[in-house]
Amino acid sequence: MSGFLAALAISFGVIFVAELGDKSQLMALTFATRYKTVPVLIGITIATAVVHLVSVAVGYGLGASLPTGWISLVAAVAFFAFGAWTLRGDSLTDAERDKASQPTTRSAIVAVGVAFFLAELGDKTMLATITLATQHGWFGTWLGSTIGMVAADALAIVAGRMLGKRLPERTIKYGAAILFVLFGAWLLVEALRELL
C-alpha cells in the first residue's frame, strides 16, 4: 500500500506543477468562459483519465516510445480549425436559439474532451506520466497524475469563470480564437521539431 501512496503522491505533485502555466491550463480557462464549469471539468477529467491511462500503459508495459511528432501535427491542424470555427461563429434559427437557451452539457463535454485529448497527446504531462509509470506502480501513477492535472486545470476554470462574468462576448470570442491558434502554432512547432 505504501508503494501505491508514494506513486499517487509523487505523480500528483509532478503533474500538478508541470501543468501550471501549460497550454492545457490556458485551454481550461478559455473553455470556462464559454461553457458551464461542471461540463468543462467533466470533459477535462475524461480526456485526462484516458490519456494518462494510455501513458501509464506505455510507460509501464512498453517503455517511452510514441510517435509524438505526428500526433502533435494532427492536433495542431485541429486547433487551427477550432480557432477558425470560433471566429466564424454560427448563426441560429429561432428553433435552435430556443434549444440553445436550455443548457446542454453533452456538447460541452464532448468539445472539451476532444480538445483536451488532442492537446495532451505528446504533451509534457503525458511524457512525464510515461516516465513516472516506468518507476512507480501503474494505478497510483495514473490516479495521481489524473487528479494532479484536473486540480491544476480547476484553478484555471475558476479564473475563467470570474473573467467570463466581466468580459464582453466579442472579447471572449476573439480571445478564444487567438488562444486556439496559439495552441495550434505551439503544437505545430513541437511537431516540426520532432519530425525534421
Side-chain angles (χ1 to χ4, degrees):
M1 190 59 137
S2 65
F4 166 77
L5 291 177
L8 179 75
I10 291 168
S11 59
F12 174 86
V14 168
I15 299 304
F16 183 85
V17 170
E19 186 66 9
L20 294 176
D22 191 58
K23 67 181 180 282
S24 304
Q25 199 175 37
L26 297 174
M27 281 177 44
L29 189 143
T30 302
F31 277 119
T33 61
R34 299 187 59 115
Y35 300 113
K36 291 185 178 192
T37 302
V38 172
V40 172
L41 199 52
I42 290 170
I44 290 170
T45 303
I46 291 169
T48 300
V50 171
V51 169
H52 288 198
L53 189 59
V54 169
S55 303
V56 166
V58 168
Y60 192 73
L62 303 174
S65 146
L66 272 180
T68 56
W70 288 107
I71 292 169
S72 293
L73 185 61
V74 169
V77 170
F79 277 97
F80 289 136
F82 290 153
W85 188 355
T86 301
L87 274 182
R88 184 181 65 89
D90 292 322
S91 58
L92 297 175
T93 65
D94 290 336
E96 290 170 330
R97 200 171 285 116
D98 290 340
K99 196 175 188 180
S101 66
Q102 302 167 356
T104 63
T105 57
R106 187 173 41 160
S107 60
I109 292 170
V110 170
V112 172
V114 168
F116 266 81
F117 181 81
L118 289 172
E120 286 307 307
L121 292 175
D123 190 54
K124 68 182 176 187
T125 52
M126 180 183 186
L127 299 175
T129 303
I130 290 171
T131 304
L132 289 167
T134 63
Q135 301 167 357
H136 303 285
W138 74 269
F139 186 68
T141 301
W142 172 71
L143 191 59
S145 64
T146 300
I147 294 170
M149 186 164 163
V150 171
D153 290 338
L155 290 175
I157 289 172
V158 169
R161 295 305 296 166
M162 287 192 230
L163 283 175
K165 293 176 184 173
R166 293 183 175 88
L167 294 176
E169 187 174 334
R170 183 175 174 179
T171 303
I172 293 170
K173 176 180 163 181
Y174 286 117
I178 289 167
L179 285 174
F180 279 127
V181 170
L182 289 174
F183 300 144
W186 187 344
L187 288 167
L188 182 62
V189 168
E190 286 179 4
L192 292 176
R193 229 183 326 195
E194 290 186 35
L195 295 173
L196 297 178

